[in-house]
Amino acid sequence: MPKLTVLMPVYNGEKFLKEAIESILNQTFEDFEFLIIDDKSQDGSKDIVLSFRDKRIRFIQNERNLGQTQTLNKGVGYSLGQYIARIDQDDRALPQRFNKEINILDKFDEISLVYSDSFIIDEEGKRRDKTLFDYVKPSRSFIFENLLRRNFITGNTALFRKNIFTEIGMYNSNYAIAAEYDVFLRLARAHKVDFIKEPLAEYRLHPANKSADTEKATQEIIAILINLDADSLEKNQKKILNKAISWHIASLGIHYLSRGNRKLCKAKAKEALKADFFNAKAIIEIFLATFFPQAFIDSLRSFKKGLRSI
């Protein structure tokens, strides 16, 4: 049995797929199976996968398109390793990723998941000056409260114990975009997490994922937070949860305001204030949507970026 299962769902990923596969096959750690599940792609993804002759690759073709979340659950069910690592079809893992992450899980039984920093690359593979941890602050040990505030774990660096799914359940198929955040939150409720400050992967920004549905992603995150069992949380955790829900609802308001929908913006701002009366972002949104013309708001590109981070 392999020690590690590397799980990659694929859908119409031919543009960057070869690079992603090569980055896994070039790992210094070699005791793994590479489980690639094609979700009924309509491009040449299947042919690219089959062009590799590495015996560690296990290829599965879905009979119909299931979506990424159900494909991930299918992959977990087929996996043979005691550890599971994720990689997306357009990202790249650096050669030492598995070796360094598995070393932590092997040494510390109390750690259930380890993740790392990540380089950010463009469509051509050129790295940005800043890494992911320059934008989000990582956290270790019992990270649940920090994770409530904001997700700082990327799937392309996460490596975790397979048996954790027996305890916390699989990926929730109700979430098409934010399912991994839901898994990380459930895991963090009772398990320790660690991180490696060194970038061990490359996350690619390109037109396809830049244009991902921001509205739907934010709605899913709000649903995940609202559906948490708040009654089981401590008083301080409930306070953090309400602030996080309010922050994301207000972020939806910014999204609508930037598109000229003032009515929906103000509605979301008021909804955000019900969860957290002191949400400065929501207060500013109402002020902008009520008193300023759209041309003025559209001119404040840098201001809007700052407002999203409040």
Side-chain angles (χ1 to χ4, degrees):
M1 291 288 186
K3 188 167 191 175
L4 171 69
T5 294
V6 184
L7 180 56
M8 177 193 283
V10 173
Y11 181 70
N12 292 347
E14 65 179 3
K15 187 170 185 179
F16 305 111
L17 184 56
K18 185 174 184 291
E19 291 179 49
I21 293 174
E22 288 175 342
S23 77
I24 299 301
L25 300 180
N26 290 333
Q27 291 290 302
T28 57
F29 180 87
E30 297 182 344
D31 184 16
F32 65 83
E33 61 167 351
F34 191 5
L35 185 54
I36 304 176
I37 305 180
D38 182 74
D39 194 22
K40 204 65 175 176
S41 293
Q42 303 302 309
D43 64 0
S45 294
K46 178 179 178 180
D47 292 336
I48 292 172
V49 176
L50 295 179
S51 71
F52 288 89
R53 294 291 182 263
D54 195 296
K55 64 181 180 180
R56 293 171 295 183
I57 293 178
R58 290 174 62 200
F59 177 71
I60 296 173
Q61 174 86 61
N62 286 344
E63 294 182 1
R64 60 183 178 86
N65 182 263
L66 299 177
Q68 178 166 288
T69 307
Q70 291 189 51
T71 299
L72 284 172
N73 283 335
K74 184 175 181 178
V76 173
Y78 277 108
S79 63
L80 301 176
Q82 74 179 95
Y83 301 142
I84 293 178
R86 282 271 293 107
I87 184 72
D88 285 326
Q89 63 190 20
D90 47 5
D91 295 333
R92 300 188 300 213
L94 299 185
Q96 289 285 334
R97 177 191 164 190
F98 298 154
N99 188 56
K100 292 186 175 184
E101 292 178 337
I102 287 174
N103 185 52
I104 290 178
L105 294 187
D106 281 349
K107 283 186 176 180
F108 303 102
D109 292 339
E110 70 273 19
I111 302 297
S112 292
L113 180 149
V114 61
Y115 65 103
S116 79
D117 197 358
S118 180
F119 288 112
I120 302 170
I121 61 175
D122 62 18
E123 191 168 7
E124 306 303 322
K126 183 180 178 180
R127 290 177 181 174
R128 285 187 175 182
D129 293 334
K130 293 183 178 181
T131 66
L132 181 69
F133 284 178
D134 289 321
Y135 296 96
V136 293
K137 184 179 179 181
S139 181
R140 59 165 46 98
S141 192
F142 290 109
I143 67 169
F144 178 67
E145 291 184 5
N146 288 332
L147 201 60
L148 281 176
R149 294 182 176 96
R150 186 173 298 184
N151 184 24
F152 42 80
I153 304 174
T154 56
N156 72 328
T157 69
L159 191 148
F160 43 94
R161 302 181 191 277
K162 179 184 176 180
N163 61 8
I164 206 71
F165 283 101
T166 302
E167 180 178 338
I168 68 171
M170 304 289 274
Y171 293 95
N172 190 328
S173 58
N174 290 324
Y175 308 126
I177 301 174
E180 285 190 316
Y181 180 45
D182 175 61
V183 165
F184 297 153
L185 277 171
R186 283 186 275 131
L187 181 148
R189 289 288 294 268
H191 297 274
K192 284 186 176 181
V193 170
D194 201 358
F195 72 85
I196 298 170
K197 193 172 182 180
E198 175 187 358
L200 295 176
E202 293 175 320
Y203 172 73
R204 192 187 304 269
L205 285 176
H206 56 91
N209 61 17
K210 277 185 180 179
S211 60
D213 193 336
T214 302
E215 180 180 357
K216 181 173 177 55
T218 307
Q219 288 173 337
E220 287 191 4
I221 291 171
I222 293 169
I224 288 167
L225 295 174
I226 289 176
N227 288 330
L228 284 175
D229 182 12
D231 291 337
S232 67
L233 299 181
E234 299 172 3
K235 184 177 180 180
N236 186 58
Q237 291 175 336
K238 289 182 181 179
K239 184 177 180 180
I240 294 171
L241 175 62
N242 288 334
K243 283 183 174 293
I245 292 171
S246 178
W247 187 88
H248 286 293
I249 293 173
S251 294
L252 269 184
I254 292 294
H255 173 78
Y256 295 133
L257 181 60
S258 67
R259 282 154 179 76
N261 193 331
R262 292 164 176 267
K263 182 178 180 181
L264 200 48
C265 168
K266 288 192 281 188
K268 287 301 174 183
K270 291 175 182 178
E271 185 180 342
L273 289 172
K274 288 182 180 179
D276 176 19
F277 185 72
F278 300 100
N279 188 328
K281 180 190 291 189
I283 295 171
I284 294 171
E285 284 174 38
I286 293 176
F287 186 72
L288 287 173
T290 302
F291 298 107
F292 287 84
Q294 191 65 33
F296 175 79
I297 294 171
D298 291 342
S299 70
L300 301 177
R301 292 183 181 273
S302 60
F303 177 76
K304 285 190 289 183
K305 288 181 180 178
L307 188 57
R308 289 190 183 99
S309 66
I310 291 177

